[in-house]
Amino acid sequence: MTLVQLDYLLAVDTYRHFATAAEHCFVTQPTLSMQLQKLEEELGVQLFDRSRVPVRPTEIGKEIIAQARIVATEAKKIREIVQNQQLELAGELRIGIIPTLAPYLMPLFITRFMQKYPQVRVVVQELLTDQIIQKLQHEQLDAGLLVTPLEDKSITEVPLFYEAFVAYINPGHPLADSQSISPEQLDTDELWVLNEGHCFRSQVLNICNRGGSGQTGNFDYKSGSLETLKRLVDSQRGLTLLPELSVLDMPAEKRKLVHPFTAPQPLREVSLVVHRSFLKRKLIEALQQEILAALPDEIRNRQKQQVVEVRRS
C-alpha cells in the first residue's frame, strides 16, 4: 500500500469517474486503474462497484476511504512542517466564497494579500454554502468564506465579523420615508428575494418570520444576484434586504434608498471555515488577518448580537 495509491483511491471517490480522477491526478486511466486493482488485491476486498454509473464505493470501501483521508492528511502535514520553517509564505490557497459575499468582500482584501504574499497562488471559487462544505470535506478547498453558524461537525468555524442587514426600498414605497424600519413592517408580497439554495434568502425570510415568493403583482422573477434585486427594486417598486457591505460604495442618490433596522439590528455572522483537520495553517492565518485589517472599523469592531439563523437544505 502506497500514498500514491491512496491518492488515486480518494480521487475516484471524489469524482466517481476513473477517467476524470486520472486527469486530476495527472496520470493515464490505465495507470490509475492498475494501481487501484493492486490495492484491492493487497487488501483482498473490492473498493468500488464498477457496474454502476457513476462508480460508487462498496460498504467496506467507504470505511477504507474514510481512513485513507486521515492517512493522506497526516502525510501532508509532514510537508507543512517544512513549509512552516520557511520565512516566506508560498504555495496554493484555494478559497470558496458565497455569492452574497464575493463581490463586496474580495475587493477589500485580495489585492493587498497578493501584494504582501507574492509567492502564494490564490484560487477563488464562488459557490453556494453546501458546495463549499462538500469541497472542504473532499479537500478540494483549503478554506471557505461563508455565513455561520452551520452546526456541522466536519468543519471548524472562525467568526470574522458581524454584518448588518439593511433594507433597500423603492422611493414610491410607503416605507421610503422611514428613517429606520422593523421586521414587523415588512410585507413579503413586496419583497424581492434570492433563489432557493442561497443562505441569504433563508435569513431574509427568517427576519420576516414568514414565507415569501420573490414576486410582486403578476411578475415572478427568480434571481441569484443581489445586484439584480437592487435593479428590480429600482424599476418594479417593492423592496429587498441587502448585506451591509453591498451598500458601502453606493452613490449618494442610491444611499437614500438604504434604511437600517431598528435596534437590535439583525446581523449575519461571516466566518472563515476550514475542515476540522485542515492544513496550510499559516496561509489561512494570514488570510484571516488581511480580511480583518481591510474591514471598515464599524464592522470589524461590532459585537455579536442578534445573529439571524441559517437554514440549510
Side-chain angles (χ1 to χ4, degrees), residues 7 20 57 118 123 183 204 258 260 269 275 282:
D7 286 340
T20 305
V123 180
V204 167
V258 177
E269 179 181 81
H275 190 270
K282 283 197 171 182

Side-chain angles (χ1 to χ4, degrees), residues 83-120:
Q83 291 172 350
N84 285 343
Q85 298 303 310
Q86 299 174 348
L87 296 178
E88 187 172 27
L89 289 181
E92 184 175 76
L93 183 60
R94 302 165 299 174
I95 305 168
I97 183 169
I98 57 175
T100 57
L101 269 177
Y104 317 113
L105 181 60
M106 290 297 299
L108 294 182
F109 74 88
I110 193 62
T111 299
R112 179 176 170 178
F113 181 88
M114 296 181 71
Q115 289 173 344
K116 192 170 183 178
Y117 304 105
Q119 299 304 313
V120 177

Side-chain angles (χ1 to χ4, degrees), residues 229-249:
L229 295 186
K230 291 184 205 176
R231 285 165 175 74
L232 286 170
V233 170
D234 292 340
S235 64
Q236 299 291 326
R237 299 177 65 87
L239 70 158
T240 191
L241 300 193
L242 300 171
E244 187 175 9
L245 286 177
S246 72
V247 303
L248 293 182
D249 294 330

Side-chain angles (χ1 to χ4, degrees), residues 117-221:
Y117 304 105
Q119 299 304 313
V120 177
R121 179 173 182 265
V122 182
V123 180
V124 180
Q125 296 183 56
E126 194 172 310
L127 303 164
L128 297 180
T129 296
D130 286 339
Q131 294 172 317
I132 292 175
I133 300 304
Q134 184 180 35
K135 285 181 176 289
L136 285 172
Q137 291 169 340
H138 287 86
E139 298 181 5
Q140 294 173 288
L141 290 175
D142 300 308
L145 291 167
L146 43 77
V147 174
T148 56
L150 298 176
E151 299 181 355
D152 189 321
K153 294 181 180 179
S154 71
I155 60 173
T156 297
E157 301 172 359
V158 182
L160 295 174
F161 60 92
Y162 296 92
E163 183 182 17
F165 289 83
V166 297
Y168 185 74
I169 304 175
N170 183 282
H173 192 278
L175 292 177
D177 295 328
S178 304
Q179 292 297 314
S180 61
I181 62 171
S182 66
E184 292 74 22
Q185 292 176 284
L186 300 179
D187 183 351
T188 51
D189 289 336
E190 301 175 326
L191 186 67
W192 296 101
V193 294
L194 293 176
N195 289 339
E196 293 282 355
H198 289 269
C199 59
F200 192 82
R201 172 191 170 94
S202 73
Q203 289 182 302
V204 167
L205 296 181
N206 280 341
I207 291 172
C208 300
N209 200 30
R210 52 191 186 273
S213 62
Q215 71 179 73
T216 59
N218 60 357
F219 178 46
D220 186 357
Y221 187 94

